[in-house]
Structure formats: structure tokens, C-alpha cells
Amino acid sequence: MKKLSLSFMLLGGGILMVSHNVQASEQEMVYNLDNHALVETAILEEDGEPVEVSIMDTSLFSRVADKTYTISKSKKNAWSISYKATIKNNQFTSASGGNFKAIQGNFSNTSVTKQSGTLAIGKGSWKYRAATSVIQVKASISNKKLTVN
């Protein structure tokens, strides 16, 4: 398992890079819900090609119990998918706001669903030339860790 250290914080209109460990294997990124930065990013491998996965805490400075995260996955020069997931007490309370962008080709049959309290999935059919692939961004919660693949 590789450890990556990429994080960003917005302070006073500028961007401050903060060192922070994110565990990532070639297929998944593990994000600590108790100890994290504003944005954490990892490069994973999917079907032998690199994809970027990022998690952004959009309520980092909020005092409410519910935390909202933007979960995204993108393949350079091909597509990007993102959605918002709200988490309270180590459980998903909602998953919505899917944003599916095809840089090449197009998306159809897109959806974002909260499958259970511990699983949220954003997926769509991406068609490029004659091939169609189902692209998904799966997020799961276990022991105060958010795993994205």
C-alpha cells in the first residue's frame, strides 16, 4: 500500500499546501473522517490506466454534526464524475448532485444513489467511439474511514 501526501487548504484567498498522509493502493483511496485536510487526492489505477480520485470536505469549518464531502474521480482527457455525500455518525445520510462530464464521447444512464448507510455510488455509461463502459465512483464507510474506488 502506498502512502500519498497531497492536501490543500484555502486560507485568506491563497492556497496553502499541507502535508497529510492518505493511504492509497492501486485500486482504492482510504480517507480518515476524523483527521483530514480540506482536499485530499490520490492517483489510482483502473483498467491499467491512471485515474485521479479526490475527496473535498465542503463543511470543514462547519460546526454542524453532518459533514458534506465532494467525491470525484477523473480520467485525463476522457471523463470526470463527482457527487456530494453527507455523512453523520459514520453513516451516509444522502448522496446527490451528480456531475458527469465527458471530455471525449458522452455519458448516459447516470445516477447517484445512497445504497445503504455505508455505501454510496455514482455511475454512468460512458460511450466513446464504438465502445461503451460503465464508470462508477464507489464510496464506502467503515470504522470512520471513507474508502473510494
Side-chain angles (χ1 to χ4, degrees), residues 78-140:
W79 49 262
S80 68
I81 298 174
S82 67
Y83 62 91
K84 295 194 181 301
T86 304
I87 299 172
K88 182 178 182 179
N89 297 328
N90 210 33
Q91 296 277 311
F92 286 109
T93 58
S94 69
S96 61
N99 187 2
F100 296 80
K101 292 183 181 175
I103 295 136
Q104 298 179 24
N106 60 22
F107 271 105
S108 63
N109 301 323
T110 61
S111 66
V112 174
T113 56
K114 180 189 101 164
Q115 301 284 319
S116 67
T118 59
L119 180 64
I121 299 174
K123 71 176 179 178
S125 295
W126 177 62
K127 184 174 184 179
Y128 178 60
R129 296 186 178 157
T132 301
S133 304
V134 175
I135 309 295
Q136 70 176 8
V137 183
K138 189 186 301 185
S140 59

Side-chain angles (χ1 to χ4, degrees), residues 3 14 21-24 27 49 55 83 89 96 101 111 115 120-121 125 131-132 139 142 144-145:
K3 287 206 177 205
N21 287 331
V22 176
Q23 289 186 349
Q27 285 88 23
E49 298 202 29
I55 301 171
Y83 62 91
N89 297 328
S96 61
K101 292 183 181 175
S111 66
Q115 301 284 319
I121 299 174
S125 295
T132 301
S142 178
K144 297 193 176 188
K145 300 214 184 303

Side-chain angles (χ1 to χ4, degrees), residues 39-105:
V39 177
E40 295 187 6
T41 302
I43 305 297
L44 307 181
E45 188 175 307
E46 187 171 280
D47 298 327
E49 298 202 29
V51 293
E52 180 179 274
V53 173
S54 68
I55 301 171
M56 180 170 142
D57 185 345
T58 56
S59 56
L60 185 66
F61 301 109
S62 173
R63 293 178 188 246
V64 297
D66 294 1
K67 290 287 204 168
T68 302
Y69 300 87
T70 299
I71 299 167
S72 61
K73 186 180 200 179
S74 62
K75 184 175 180 182
K76 189 175 182 174
N77 297 322
W79 49 262
S80 68
I81 298 174
S82 67
Y83 62 91
K84 295 194 181 301
T86 304
I87 299 172
K88 182 178 182 179
N89 297 328
N90 210 33
Q91 296 277 311
F92 286 109
T93 58
S94 69
S96 61
N99 187 2
F100 296 80
K101 292 183 181 175
I103 295 136
Q104 298 179 24

